[in-house]
Amino acid sequence: MSDFNQYTAAPEAPTAVPGAEERQWAMFAHLSALVGLIIPFGNLLGPLVVWLVKRDTMPFVADQGKEALNFQITVTVVCVVLGIAAFILSFVLIGFLLFPVIALVGLAALVLAIIAGIKANEGTAYRYPFSVRLIK
Protein backbone atom coordinates (compact mmCIF):
# COMPACT_ATOMS: atom_id res chain seq x y z
CA MET A 1 0.00 0.00 0.00
CA SER A 2 1.45 3.37 -0.98
CA ASP A 3 1.87 6.19 1.52
CA PHE A 4 -0.92 8.18 -0.15
CA ASN A 5 -3.38 5.28 0.11
CA GLN A 6 -2.39 4.73 3.72
CA TYR A 7 -3.61 8.22 4.65
CA THR A 8 -6.64 8.44 2.37
CA ALA A 9 -8.11 4.92 2.42
CA ALA A 10 -11.36 4.66 4.35
CA PRO A 11 -11.17 2.44 7.41
CA GLU A 12 -13.54 -0.46 7.81
CA ALA A 13 -16.90 0.58 9.25
CA PRO A 14 -18.24 -1.16 12.36
CA THR A 15 -20.55 -4.03 11.47
CA ALA A 16 -22.83 -4.04 14.54
CA VAL A 17 -26.10 -2.14 14.30
CA PRO A 18 -25.79 0.93 16.53
CA GLY A 19 -28.48 1.76 19.05
CA ALA A 20 -30.46 4.99 19.15
CA GLU A 21 -28.19 6.70 21.68
CA GLU A 22 -25.08 5.67 19.76
CA ARG A 23 -26.54 7.00 16.50
CA GLN A 24 -27.43 10.28 18.20
CA TRP A 25 -23.91 10.76 19.57
CA ALA A 26 -22.45 9.94 16.14
CA MET A 27 -24.68 12.63 14.67
CA PHE A 28 -23.43 15.04 17.34
CA ALA A 29 -19.84 14.18 16.37
CA HIS A 30 -20.50 15.38 12.82
CA LEU A 31 -22.73 18.34 13.61
CA SER A 32 -20.53 19.61 16.43
CA ALA A 33 -18.22 20.91 13.69
CA LEU A 34 -20.79 23.67 13.20
CA VAL A 35 -19.48 25.19 16.44
CA GLY A 36 -16.74 26.53 14.17
CA LEU A 37 -19.25 29.05 12.86
CA ILE A 38 -19.20 30.70 16.30
CA ILE A 39 -15.86 29.79 17.91
CA PRO A 40 -12.55 29.89 16.02
CA PHE A 41 -11.34 26.32 15.44
CA GLY A 42 -14.57 25.04 17.00
CA ASN A 43 -14.90 22.83 13.94
CA LEU A 44 -11.97 20.85 15.37
CA LEU A 45 -12.91 21.09 19.04
CA GLY A 46 -16.49 19.82 18.68
CA PRO A 47 -15.71 16.47 17.03
CA LEU A 48 -12.60 16.07 19.19
CA VAL A 49 -14.58 16.41 22.44
CA VAL A 50 -17.32 14.01 21.33
CA TRP A 51 -14.76 11.48 20.11
CA LEU A 52 -12.66 11.67 23.29
CA VAL A 53 -15.67 11.36 25.59
CA LYS A 54 -17.46 8.48 23.83
CA ARG A 55 -14.73 6.50 22.01
CA ASP A 56 -14.27 3.90 24.74
CA THR A 57 -17.95 3.11 25.29
CA MET A 58 -19.50 3.42 21.81
CA PRO A 59 -17.68 1.91 18.79
CA PHE A 60 -19.92 3.59 16.19
CA VAL A 61 -19.31 6.99 17.79
CA ALA A 62 -15.57 6.28 17.92
CA ASP A 63 -15.56 5.52 14.19
CA GLN A 64 -17.72 8.49 13.20
CA GLY A 65 -15.94 10.85 15.59
CA LYS A 66 -12.58 9.97 14.02
CA GLU A 67 -14.08 10.43 10.58
CA ALA A 68 -15.51 13.85 11.46
CA LEU A 69 -12.28 14.96 13.13
CA ASN A 70 -10.11 13.82 10.21
CA PHE A 71 -12.33 15.68 7.75
CA GLN A 72 -12.32 18.87 9.81
CA ILE A 73 -8.52 18.71 10.11
CA THR A 74 -8.30 18.35 6.33
CA VAL A 75 -10.67 21.28 5.74
CA THR A 76 -8.80 23.48 8.21
CA VAL A 77 -5.41 22.75 6.64
CA VAL A 78 -6.74 23.40 3.13
CA CYS A 79 -8.37 26.69 4.15
CA VAL A 80 -5.27 27.90 6.01
CA VAL A 81 -2.96 27.04 3.10
CA LEU A 82 -5.31 28.67 0.59
CA GLY A 83 -5.66 31.71 2.85
CA ILE A 84 -1.90 32.16 3.12
CA ALA A 85 -1.50 31.72 -0.64
CA ALA A 86 -4.34 34.17 -1.31
CA PHE A 87 -2.81 36.75 1.04
CA ILE A 88 0.64 36.48 -0.55
CA LEU A 89 -0.70 36.50 -4.11
CA SER A 90 -3.06 39.39 -3.42
CA PHE A 91 -0.07 41.71 -3.63
CA VAL A 92 0.07 40.93 -7.36
CA LEU A 93 -3.75 40.99 -7.64
CA ILE A 94 -4.05 37.27 -8.42
CA GLY A 95 -4.78 36.15 -4.87
CA PHE A 96 -8.22 37.71 -4.84
CA LEU A 97 -9.33 34.89 -7.11
CA LEU A 98 -8.62 32.38 -4.32
CA PHE A 99 -10.98 33.93 -1.79
CA PRO A 100 -14.11 32.52 -3.50
CA VAL A 101 -12.41 29.10 -3.53
CA ILE A 102 -11.94 29.30 0.25
CA ALA A 103 -15.62 30.17 0.61
CA LEU A 104 -16.59 27.18 -1.56
CA VAL A 105 -14.45 24.84 0.55
CA GLY A 106 -16.18 26.13 3.69
CA LEU A 107 -19.63 25.74 2.12
CA ALA A 108 -18.81 22.21 0.96
CA ALA A 109 -17.61 21.33 4.48
CA LEU A 110 -20.88 22.67 5.92
CA VAL A 111 -23.02 20.66 3.50
CA LEU A 112 -20.98 17.47 3.96
CA ALA A 113 -21.11 17.75 7.76
CA ILE A 114 -24.90 18.02 7.64
CA ILE A 115 -25.17 15.05 5.26
CA ALA A 116 -22.84 13.04 7.50
CA GLY A 117 -24.92 13.92 10.57
CA ILE A 118 -28.09 12.73 8.86
CA LYS A 119 -26.46 9.49 7.69
CA ALA A 120 -24.99 8.81 11.14
CA ASN A 121 -28.41 9.33 12.72
CA GLU A 122 -29.75 6.71 10.29
CA GLY A 123 -27.05 4.30 11.50
CA THR A 124 -24.96 4.44 8.33
CA ALA A 125 -21.21 4.85 8.71
CA TYR A 126 -20.49 7.93 6.57
CA ARG A 127 -17.15 8.41 4.82
CA TYR A 128 -16.22 11.93 3.74
CA PRO A 129 -14.74 12.34 0.27
CA PHE A 130 -11.29 13.95 -0.01
CA SER A 131 -10.45 13.39 3.65
CA VAL A 132 -6.92 12.69 4.83
CA ARG A 133 -7.22 10.17 7.64
CA LEU A 134 -4.51 11.19 10.08
CA ILE A 135 -6.16 9.69 13.16
CA LYS A 136 -6.46 5.93 12.89
Side-chain angles (χ1 to χ4, degrees), residues 50-133:
V50 172
W51 177 62
L52 287 175
V53 169
K54 295 294 182 180
R55 69 180 174 181
D56 295 330
T57 59
M58 298 180 176
F60 185 65
V61 178
D63 174 62
Q64 292 301 289
K66 279 192 293 191
E67 186 70 19
L69 186 58
N70 282 325
F71 179 69
Q72 294 304 323
I73 290 170
T74 303
V75 167
T76 301
V77 168
V78 167
C79 286
V80 166
V81 169
L82 283 176
I84 291 170
F87 176 74
I88 292 170
L89 291 175
S90 65
F91 292 112
V92 290
L93 302 176
I94 297 173
F96 294 109
L97 300 174
L98 288 177
F99 289 119
V101 175
I102 297 169
L104 285 175
V105 169
L107 181 63
L110 173 73
V111 170
L112 288 173
I114 292 171
I115 291 171
I118 292 170
K119 291 291 185 183
N121 196 32
E122 293 172 353
T124 304
Y126 186 78
R127 297 289 174 241
Y128 288 98
F130 312 114
S131 180
V132 178
R133 290 169 177 87

Side-chain angles (χ1 to χ4, degrees), residues 34-47:
L34 301 179
V35 172
L37 298 172
I38 301 168
I39 301 171
F41 297 105
N43 63 322
L44 297 173
L45 294 175

